[in-house]
Amino acid sequence: MDATELMEALDSNKTIIISANCNIAYSGRAESFLADGDRIIIIKSDKTLLVHQPTGSIPINYMKEGSSFRVSSDGERVELHCTNSREFLTVRMHRVYSHDFLELSDGQKLQITGSEKDMSQMIYNHPELIEKGFRPLSMEEHTKFGFIDVFGFDVSNTLVVVECKRYSADHKAVEQLNRYVKKIKQAKGLKTVRGIIAAPRITAAAEMHIREFGFEFRRINPPKYMERFDSSQRRLEF
Amino acid sequence: MDATELMEALDSNKTIIISANCNIAYSGRAESFLADGDRIIIIKSDKTLLVHQPTGSIPINYMKEGSSFRVSSDGERVELHCTNSREFLTVRMHRVYSHDFLELSDGQKLQITGSEKDMSQMIYNHPELIEKGFRPLSMEEHTKFGFIDVFGFDVSNTLVVVECKRYSADHKAVEQLNRYVKKIKQAKGLKTVRGIIAAPRITAAAEMHIREFGFEFRRINPPKYMERFDSSQRRLEF
DNA sequence: GGGGAGAGATGCCGC
DNA sequence: GCGGCATTTCTCCCC
């Protein structure tokens, strides 16, 4: 791979995949250097840069969408310079093992369920999961008190704020709930507003924290509407 | 690319890069489906799976290190089944544009500076950044009160807890600091422990929050020791 | 393995 | 742009 063909691929917004021995310098939100090693370098059609090591799931270096690229060469090595408004990165390639310039097309978005939002929706549609007589007023609402998952009245018309967590609820979830409850009490001049954490489980520290504030915990699992997994086959059946 | 050579590449722990039109089903921590489109599929030597769309910096689907793979084929299409202890993913490839099986080697780690830890160290070494007479006792210490960035005494021997943030300090940082201060007061039976947030800036909400607790804010920028950026050249000079 | 916290976190939405 | 918050967050470190 020479500098010219890489420049052409960049100019024509191809998706570029290079495997090479290289080192990488980064300056921007932090400063970093990565000594010589084999990596996979990807430049996407939207000018996102990703550098992956042969192990691990996280890119070791990266630049955001819309970065600018420049290629230079001293004959032997090809250097890739990447920059955006406040960051700079240089890949110095010593040896290129393989390269691929592609024209890829994909307009699809991920359809996903089982998020915290789906949990809120489930509770909104099945308020008895919280308790008998719970009447939700809203869900997933950006209120001036914060972003409240589910908001409603209990059987005795006391305001209830529900904070959902997909996994174990921790002390941060309790503090988040406390912020909302405090703000609502203050804004509406109410003496009692109930706070409920809905999650599949809760940490010991958070459970103590909950008692301190007089909040409650409901053990609720996030929904997985798309679940079509055949457990006997251990295969996805779509 | 046929199923057999893909299986062989997987068995020999090669790093595999495939570009293909495919759809993807995932079941595990959530449920997702991604309809047909062009993607880059990477399987690393440690059996990490990454699927990237032609735009964006985040993988659209992925499986963690140490996953198991199975390949099947109905003659036309190649299917890649990936599973680990609690997740399942299937890539159904309709057309393979390119593929590459590599043997990559990289033992290097990223050398990075400018993190919150470096900020703590800077304050520890230059306590006057907090105030005249501040005497740090420890930094980055896992105490039974939590993980405290910098811990010390002020000029009048009052305990001081410093919480560092690389960017804007928000209400979560204030609550974090409050947790530490509360725990220390309780554990040591002290009436006053000072809390200080060190960050380049602070959100308006956090500033009000700080006053509420009687904490203080110090405007401090995180260090960048490795900075070798020639601003006139807009280039990294290593 | 759980818990707590940072990350060059990223991405989304609302103001 | 900032702010607040979820994420199949991921990663590290300590208990």
Side-chain angles (χ1 to χ4, degrees), chain A residues 29-66:
Chain A
R29 283 175 286 180
E31 303 279 322
S32 78
F33 183 69
L34 183 65
D36 295 350
D38 296 342
R39 281 119 208 180
I40 299 162
I41 301 146
I42 297 171
I43 305 167
K44 295 191 179 186
S45 53
D46 66 350
K47 297 290 183 284
T48 298
L49 170 75
L50 298 171
V51 180
H52 274 274
Q53 290 183 304
T55 61
S57 61
I58 296 292
I60 192 70
N61 279 111
Y62 51 91
M63 294 285 274
K64 283 208 163 151
E65 173 191 350

mmCIF file of all heavy atoms in Angstrom, chain A residues 29-66:
data_model
loop_
_atom_site.group_PDB
_atom_site.id
_atom_site.type_symbol
_atom_site.label_atom_id
_atom_site.label_comp_id
_atom_site.label_asym_id
_atom_site.label_seq_id
_atom_site.Cartn_x
_atom_site.Cartn_y
_atom_site.Cartn_z
ATOM 1 N N ARG A 29 -7.747 15.420 24.385
ATOM 2 C CA ARG A 29 -8.337 15.408 25.721
ATOM 3 C C ARG A 29 -7.355 14.861 26.734
ATOM 4 O O ARG A 29 -7.448 15.125 27.922
ATOM 5 C CB ARG A 29 -9.615 14.576 25.694
ATOM 6 C CG ARG A 29 -10.747 15.344 25.064
ATOM 7 C CD ARG A 29 -11.965 14.510 24.931
ATOM 8 N NE ARG A 29 -11.838 13.543 23.859
ATOM 9 C CZ ARG A 29 -12.791 12.673 23.529
ATOM 10 N NH1 ARG A 29 -13.895 12.649 24.218
ATOM 11 N NH2 ARG A 29 -12.629 11.847 22.527
ATOM 12 N N ALA A 30 -6.393 14.076 26.261
ATOM 13 C CA ALA A 30 -5.260 13.635 27.069
ATOM 14 C C ALA A 30 -4.070 13.541 26.127
ATOM 15 O O ALA A 30 -4.151 14.014 24.992
ATOM 16 C CB ALA A 30 -5.556 12.295 27.730
ATOM 17 N N GLU A 31 -2.975 12.967 26.597
ATOM 18 C CA GLU A 31 -1.807 12.752 25.760
ATOM 19 C C GLU A 31 -1.464 11.285 25.841
ATOM 20 O O GLU A 31 -1.407 10.721 26.933
ATOM 21 C CB GLU A 31 -0.609 13.540 26.311
ATOM 22 C CG GLU A 31 -0.833 15.024 26.443
ATOM 23 C CD GLU A 31 -0.647 15.751 25.140
ATOM 24 O OE1 GLU A 31 0.265 15.379 24.384
ATOM 25 O OE2 GLU A 31 -1.430 16.676 24.864
ATOM 26 N N SER A 32 -1.222 10.648 24.700
ATOM 27 C CA SER A 32 -0.868 9.227 24.770
ATOM 28 C C SER A 32 0.097 8.830 23.669
ATOM 29 O O SER A 32 0.170 9.470 22.617
ATOM 30 C CB SER A 32 -2.115 8.350 24.703
ATOM 31 O OG SER A 32 -2.601 8.234 23.391
ATOM 32 N N PHE A 33 0.837 7.764 23.958
ATOM 33 C CA PHE A 33 1.703 7.167 22.949
ATOM 34 C C PHE A 33 1.603 5.659 23.045
ATOM 35 O O PHE A 33 1.560 5.094 24.139
ATOM 36 C CB PHE A 33 3.158 7.618 23.141
ATOM 37 C CG PHE A 33 4.074 7.088 22.086
ATOM 38 C CD1 PHE A 33 3.987 7.540 20.771
ATOM 39 C CD2 PHE A 33 5.005 6.096 22.383
ATOM 40 C CE1 PHE A 33 4.819 7.028 19.791
ATOM 41 C CE2 PHE A 33 5.837 5.584 21.409
ATOM 42 C CZ PHE A 33 5.748 6.054 20.098
ATOM 43 N N LEU A 34 1.554 5.015 21.889
ATOM 44 C CA LEU A 34 1.479 3.561 21.819
ATOM 45 C C LEU A 34 2.648 3.079 20.966
ATOM 46 O O LEU A 34 2.741 3.415 19.784
ATOM 47 C CB LEU A 34 0.145 3.133 21.197
ATOM 48 C CG LEU A 34 -0.139 1.641 21.104
ATOM 49 C CD1 LEU A 34 -0.256 1.007 22.488
ATOM 50 C CD2 LEU A 34 -1.412 1.382 20.302
ATOM 51 N N ALA A 35 3.554 2.316 21.594
ATOM 52 C CA ALA A 35 4.768 1.859 20.895
ATOM 53 C C ALA A 35 4.435 0.829 19.816
ATOM 54 O O ALA A 35 3.304 0.366 19.707
ATOM 55 C CB ALA A 35 5.758 1.285 21.908
ATOM 56 N N ASP A 36 5.440 0.460 19.031
ATOM 57 C CA ASP A 36 5.258 -0.423 17.871
ATOM 58 C C ASP A 36 4.528 -1.728 18.191
ATOM 59 O O ASP A 36 4.844 -2.405 19.163
ATOM 60 C CB ASP A 36 6.634 -0.794 17.283
ATOM 61 C CG ASP A 36 7.348 0.413 16.713
ATOM 62 O OD1 ASP A 36 6.711 1.479 16.612
ATOM 63 O OD2 ASP A 36 8.542 0.288 16.387
ATOM 64 N N GLY A 37 3.605 -2.074 17.334
ATOM 65 C CA GLY A 37 2.866 -3.327 17.463
ATOM 66 C C GLY A 37 1.926 -3.483 16.276
ATOM 67 O O GLY A 37 1.738 -2.547 15.490
ATOM 68 N N ASP A 38 1.330 -4.682 16.162
ATOM 69 C CA ASP A 38 0.410 -4.959 15.059
ATOM 70 C C ASP A 38 -1.002 -4.519 15.413
ATOM 71 O O ASP A 38 -1.514 -4.864 16.471
ATOM 72 C CB ASP A 38 0.383 -6.468 14.747
ATOM 73 C CG ASP A 38 1.725 -6.972 14.255
ATOM 74 O OD1 ASP A 38 2.565 -6.142 13.836
ATOM 75 O OD2 ASP A 38 1.934 -8.203 14.289
ATOM 76 N N ARG A 39 -1.605 -3.764 14.534
ATOM 77 C CA ARG A 39 -2.967 -3.274 14.787
ATOM 78 C C ARG A 39 -3.827 -3.271 13.538
ATOM 79 O O ARG A 39 -3.316 -3.333 12.424
ATOM 80 C CB ARG A 39 -2.932 -1.827 15.316
ATOM 81 C CG ARG A 39 -2.574 -1.761 16.781
ATOM 82 C CD ARG A 39 -1.309 -0.977 16.973
ATOM 83 N NE ARG A 39 -0.593 -1.402 18.163
ATOM 84 C CZ ARG A 39 0.556 -0.851 18.550
ATOM 85 N NH1 ARG A 39 1.107 0.115 17.864
ATOM 86 N NH2 ARG A 39 1.160 -1.314 19.613
ATOM 87 N N ILE A 40 -5.104 -3.164 13.772
ATOM 88 C CA ILE A 40 -6.068 -2.983 12.691
ATOM 89 C C ILE A 40 -6.502 -1.524 12.712
ATOM 90 O O ILE A 40 -6.917 -1.014 13.753
ATOM 91 C CB ILE A 40 -7.299 -3.894 12.889
ATOM 92 C CG1 ILE A 40 -6.872 -5.362 12.900
ATOM 93 C CG2 ILE A 40 -8.337 -3.638 11.809
ATOM 94 C CD1 ILE A 40 -7.912 -6.273 13.518
ATOM 95 N N ILE A 41 -6.382 -0.876 11.587
ATOM 96 C CA ILE A 41 -6.755 0.535 11.472
ATOM 97 C C ILE A 41 -7.959 0.633 10.548
ATOM 98 O O ILE A 41 -7.927 0.120 9.430
ATOM 99 C CB ILE A 41 -5.574 1.352 10.895
ATOM 100 C CG1 ILE A 41 -4.344 1.218 11.811
ATOM 101 C CG2 ILE A 41 -5.970 2.820 10.715
ATOM 102 C CD1 ILE A 41 -3.033 1.236 11.067
ATOM 103 N N ILE A 42 -9.011 1.251 11.040
ATOM 104 C CA ILE A 42 -10.224 1.409 10.236
ATOM 105 C C ILE A 42 -10.533 2.894 10.089
ATOM 106 O O ILE A 42 -10.548 3.632 11.077
ATOM 107 C CB ILE A 42 -11.420 0.686 10.900
ATOM 108 C CG1 ILE A 42 -11.155 -0.826 10.983
ATOM 109 C CG2 ILE A 42 -12.721 0.957 10.130
ATOM 110 C CD1 ILE A 42 -12.184 -1.587 11.802
ATOM 111 N N ILE A 43 -10.745 3.312 8.870
ATOM 112 C CA ILE A 43 -11.267 4.667 8.627
ATOM 113 C C ILE A 43 -12.592 4.498 7.899
ATOM 114 O O ILE A 43 -12.655 3.929 6.819
ATOM 115 C CB ILE A 43 -10.307 5.517 7.787
ATOM 116 C CG1 ILE A 43 -8.914 5.548 8.436
ATOM 117 C CG2 ILE A 43 -10.846 6.945 7.646
ATOM 118 C CD1 ILE A 43 -7.833 6.104 7.521
ATOM 119 N N LYS A 44 -13.636 4.970 8.548
ATOM 120 C CA LYS A 44 -14.966 4.791 7.973
ATOM 121 C C LYS A 44 -15.301 5.900 6.982
ATOM 122 O O LYS A 44 -14.592 6.903 6.902
ATOM 123 C CB LYS A 44 -16.002 4.740 9.100
ATOM 124 C CG LYS A 44 -15.844 3.518 10.010
ATOM 125 C CD LYS A 44 -17.039 3.377 10.942
ATOM 126 C CE LYS A 44 -16.902 2.143 11.837
ATOM 127 N NZ LYS A 44 -18.120 1.920 12.627
ATOM 128 N N SER A 45 -16.397 5.702 6.248
ATOM 129 C CA SER A 45 -16.771 6.668 5.208
ATOM 130 C C SER A 45 -17.141 8.033 5.807
ATOM 131 O O SER A 45 -17.061 9.054 5.143
ATOM 132 C CB SER A 45 -17.936 6.128 4.384
ATOM 133 O OG SER A 45 -19.003 5.752 5.225
ATOM 134 N N ASP A 46 -17.515 8.056 7.100
ATOM 135 C CA ASP A 46 -17.836 9.333 7.746
ATOM 136 C C ASP A 46 -16.609 9.931 8.433
ATOM 137 O O ASP A 46 -16.735 10.865 9.221
ATOM 138 C CB ASP A 46 -18.984 9.151 8.749
ATOM 139 C CG ASP A 46 -18.593 8.260 9.924
ATOM 140 O OD1 ASP A 46 -17.517 7.627 9.882
ATOM 141 O OD2 ASP A 46 -19.370 8.182 10.895
ATOM 142 N N LYS A 47 -15.444 9.370 8.120
ATOM 143 C CA LYS A 47 -14.162 9.852 8.668
ATOM 144 C C LYS A 47 -14.053 9.670 10.181
ATOM 145 O O LYS A 47 -13.606 10.549 10.913
ATOM 146 C CB LYS A 47 -13.913 11.318 8.265
ATOM 147 C CG LYS A 47 -13.789 11.505 6.738
ATOM 148 C CD LYS A 47 -12.507 10.889 6.209
ATOM 149 C CE LYS A 47 -12.325 11.111 4.712
ATOM 150 N NZ LYS A 47 -13.194 10.228 3.878
ATOM 151 N N THR A 48 -14.508 8.522 10.607
ATOM 152 C CA THR A 48 -14.224 8.028 11.954
ATOM 153 C C THR A 48 -12.967 7.179 11.864
ATOM 154 O O THR A 48 -12.833 6.388 10.934
ATOM 155 C CB THR A 48 -15.382 7.130 12.451
ATOM 156 O OG1 THR A 48 -16.582 7.888 12.523
ATOM 157 C CG2 THR A 48 -15.075 6.536 13.826
ATOM 158 N N LEU A 49 -12.055 7.340 12.813
ATOM 159 C CA LEU A 49 -10.863 6.486 12.853
ATOM 160 C C LEU A 49 -10.926 5.562 14.055
ATOM 161 O O LEU A 49 -11.217 5.993 15.175
ATOM 162 C CB LEU A 49 -9.592 7.337 12.951
ATOM 163 C CG LEU A 49 -8.288 6.562 13.244
ATOM 164 C CD1 LEU A 49 -7.791 5.821 12.016
ATOM 165 C CD2 LEU A 49 -7.207 7.492 13.767
ATOM 166 N N LEU A 50 -10.635 4.286 13.834
ATOM 167 C CA LEU A 50 -10.549 3.318 14.922
ATOM 168 C C LEU A 50 -9.244 2.554 14.800
ATOM 169 O O LEU A 50 -8.879 2.129 13.701
ATOM 170 C CB LEU A 50 -11.708 2.323 14.864
ATOM 171 C CG LEU A 50 -13.124 2.860 15.007
ATOM 172 C CD1 LEU A 50 -14.138 1.763 14.695
ATOM 173 C CD2 LEU A 50 -13.351 3.415 16.397
ATOM 174 N N VAL A 51 -8.544 2.369 15.915
ATOM 175 C CA VAL A 51 -7.361 1.516 15.919
ATOM 176 C C VAL A 51 -7.580 0.424 16.949
ATOM 177 O O VAL A 51 -7.849 0.709 18.122
ATOM 178 C CB VAL A 51 -6.081 2.302 16.268
ATOM 179 C CG1 VAL A 51 -4.878 1.367 16.257
ATOM 180 C CG2 VAL A 51 -5.874 3.456 15.310
ATOM 181 N N HIS A 52 -7.498 -0.822 16.497
ATOM 182 C CA HIS A 52 -7.712 -1.958 17.396
ATOM 183 C C HIS A 52 -6.457 -2.801 17.518
ATOM 184 O O HIS A 52 -5.796 -3.092 16.533
ATOM 185 C CB HIS A 52 -8.866 -2.829 16.891
ATOM 186 C CG HIS A 52 -10.205 -2.368 17.358
ATOM 187 N ND1 HIS A 52 -10.742 -2.752 18.567
ATOM 188 C CD2 HIS A 52 -11.108 -1.534 16.798
ATOM 189 C CE1 HIS A 52 -11.930 -2.186 18.719
ATOM 190 N NE2 HIS A 52 -12.177 -1.431 17.663
ATOM 191 N N GLN A 53 -6.164 -3.202 18.739
ATOM 192 C CA GLN A 53 -5.110 -4.176 18.986
ATOM 193 C C GLN A 53 -5.682 -5.574 18.714
ATOM 194 O O GLN A 53 -6.894 -5.726 18.578
ATOM 195 C CB GLN A 53 -4.615 -4.041 20.435
ATOM 196 C CG GLN A 53 -3.841 -2.738 20.657
ATOM 197 C CD GLN A 53 -3.287 -2.618 22.062
ATOM 198 O OE1 GLN A 53 -4.020 -2.703 23.036
ATOM 199 N NE2 GLN A 53 -1.999 -2.407 22.178
ATOM 200 N N PRO A 54 -4.822 -6.618 18.653
ATOM 201 C CA PRO A 54 -5.313 -7.963 18.338
ATOM 202 C C PRO A 54 -6.161 -8.587 19.443
ATOM 203 O O PRO A 54 -6.709 -9.673 19.259
ATOM 204 C CB PRO A 54 -4.039 -8.789 18.120
ATOM 205 C CG PRO A 54 -2.934 -7.807 17.994
ATOM 206 C CD PRO A 54 -3.348 -6.585 18.735
ATOM 207 N N THR A 55 -6.234 -7.928 20.596
ATOM 208 C CA THR A 55 -7.087 -8.421 21.678
ATOM 209 C C THR A 55 -7.878 -7.255 22.278
ATOM 210 O O THR A 55 -7.485 -6.094 22.137
ATOM 211 C CB THR A 55 -6.262 -9.074 22.815
ATOM 212 O OG1 THR A 55 -5.381 -8.094 23.355
ATOM 213 C CG2 THR A 55 -5.470 -10.275 22.326
ATOM 214 N N GLY A 56 -8.956 -7.594 22.935
ATOM 215 C CA GLY A 56 -9.748 -6.588 23.635
ATOM 216 C C GLY A 56 -10.858 -6.014 22.788
ATOM 217 O O GLY A 56 -10.806 -6.038 21.556
ATOM 218 N N SER A 57 -11.852 -5.482 23.441
ATOM 219 C CA SER A 57 -13.035 -5.013 22.719
ATOM 220 C C SER A 57 -13.054 -3.508 22.485
ATOM 221 O O SER A 57 -13.832 -3.008 21.681
ATOM 222 C CB SER A 57 -14.299 -5.431 23.470
ATOM 223 O OG SER A 57 -14.319 -4.860 24.748
ATOM 224 N N ILE A 58 -12.173 -2.800 23.154
ATOM 225 C CA ILE A 58 -12.160 -1.343 23.084
ATOM 226 C C ILE A 58 -11.055 -0.880 22.130
ATOM 227 O O ILE A 58 -9.947 -1.394 22.179
ATOM 228 C CB ILE A 58 -11.906 -0.771 24.507
ATOM 229 C CG1 ILE A 58 -13.052 -1.142 25.431
ATOM 230 C CG2 ILE A 58 -11.694 0.726 24.491
ATOM 231 C CD1 ILE A 58 -14.349 -0.477 25.088
ATOM 232 N N PRO A 59 -11.339 0.111 21.272
ATOM 233 C CA PRO A 59 -10.263 0.636 20.426
ATOM 234 C C PRO A 59 -9.188 1.272 21.290
ATOM 235 O O PRO A 59 -9.505 1.950 22.270
ATOM 236 C CB PRO A 59 -10.967 1.668 19.548
ATOM 237 C CG PRO A 59 -12.220 2.027 20.266
ATOM 238 C CD PRO A 59 -12.618 0.805 21.029
ATOM 239 N N ILE A 60 -7.935 1.038 20.940
ATOM 240 C CA ILE A 60 -6.841 1.588 21.752
ATOM 241 C C ILE A 60 -6.639 3.071 21.438
ATOM 242 O O ILE A 60 -6.226 3.843 22.296
ATOM 243 C CB ILE A 60 -5.538 0.776 21.532
ATOM 244 C CG1 ILE A 60 -4.473 1.127 22.556
ATOM 245 C CG2 ILE A 60 -5.006 0.934 20.111
ATOM 246 C CD1 ILE A 60 -4.757 0.662 23.957
ATOM 247 N N ASN A 61 -6.964 3.452 20.209
ATOM 248 C CA ASN A 61 -6.982 4.866 19.823
ATOM 249 C C ASN A 61 -8.138 5.087 18.862
ATOM 250 O O ASN A 61 -8.577 4.154 18.193
ATOM 251 C CB ASN A 61 -5.655 5.290 19.168
ATOM 252 C CG ASN A 61 -4.561 5.592 20.164
ATOM 253 O OD1 ASN A 61 -3.576 4.860 20.266
ATOM 254 N ND2 ASN A 61 -4.721 6.680 20.909
ATOM 255 N N TYR A 62 -8.582 6.315 18.793
ATOM 256 C CA TYR A 62 -9.727 6.597 17.930
ATOM 257 C C TYR A 62 -9.844 8.102 17.713
ATOM 258 O O TYR A 62 -9.340 8.897 18.508
ATOM 259 C CB TYR A 62 -11.019 6.059 18.558
ATOM 260 C CG TYR A 62 -11.222 6.505 19.982
ATOM 261 C CD1 TYR A 62 -11.931 7.667 20.276
ATOM 262 C CD2 TYR A 62 -10.661 5.794 21.029
ATOM 263 C CE1 TYR A 62 -12.096 8.086 21.578
ATOM 264 C CE2 TYR A 62 -10.819 6.204 22.339
ATOM 265 C CZ TYR A 62 -11.536 7.354 22.601
ATOM 266 O OH TYR A 62 -11.678 7.774 23.901
ATOM 267 N N MET A 63 -10.540 8.454 16.659
ATOM 268 C CA MET A 63 -10.893 9.855 16.414
ATOM 269 C C MET A 63 -12.329 9.875 15.955
ATOM 270 O O MET A 63 -12.801 8.971 15.272
ATOM 271 C CB MET A 63 -9.976 10.494 15.380
ATOM 272 C CG MET A 63 -8.531 10.626 15.833
ATOM 273 S SD MET A 63 -8.228 11.940 17.043
ATOM 274 C CE MET A 63 -7.988 13.335 15.952
ATOM 275 N N LYS A 64 -13.004 10.947 16.322
ATOM 276 C CA LYS A 64 -14.430 11.002 16.061
ATOM 277 C C LYS A 64 -14.757 11.256 14.597
ATOM 278 O O LYS A 64 -13.946 11.776 13.842
ATOM 279 C CB LYS A 64 -15.043 12.111 16.909
ATOM 280 C CG LYS A 64 -15.212 11.711 18.345
ATOM 281 C CD LYS A 64 -16.369 12.479 18.948
ATOM 282 C CE LYS A 64 -16.843 11.850 20.227
ATOM 283 N NZ LYS A 64 -17.426 12.874 21.119
ATOM 284 N N GLU A 65 -15.992 10.910 14.265
ATOM 285 C CA GLU A 65 -16.619 11.236 12.991
ATOM 286 C C GLU A 65 -16.255 12.646 12.542
ATOM 287 O O GLU A 65 -16.211 13.558 13.357
ATOM 288 C CB GLU A 65 -18.137 11.135 13.218
ATOM 289 C CG GLU A 65 -18.993 11.583 12.084
ATOM 290 C CD GLU A 65 -20.462 11.688 12.509
ATOM 291 O OE1 GLU A 65 -20.812 11.228 13.615
ATOM 292 O OE2 GLU A 65 -21.261 12.248 11.726
ATOM 293 N N GLY A 66 -15.975 12.785 11.267
ATOM 294 C CA GLY A 66 -15.717 14.116 10.724
ATOM 295 C C GLY A 66 -14.300 14.621 10.915
ATOM 296 O O GLY A 66 -14.051 15.816 10.802
#
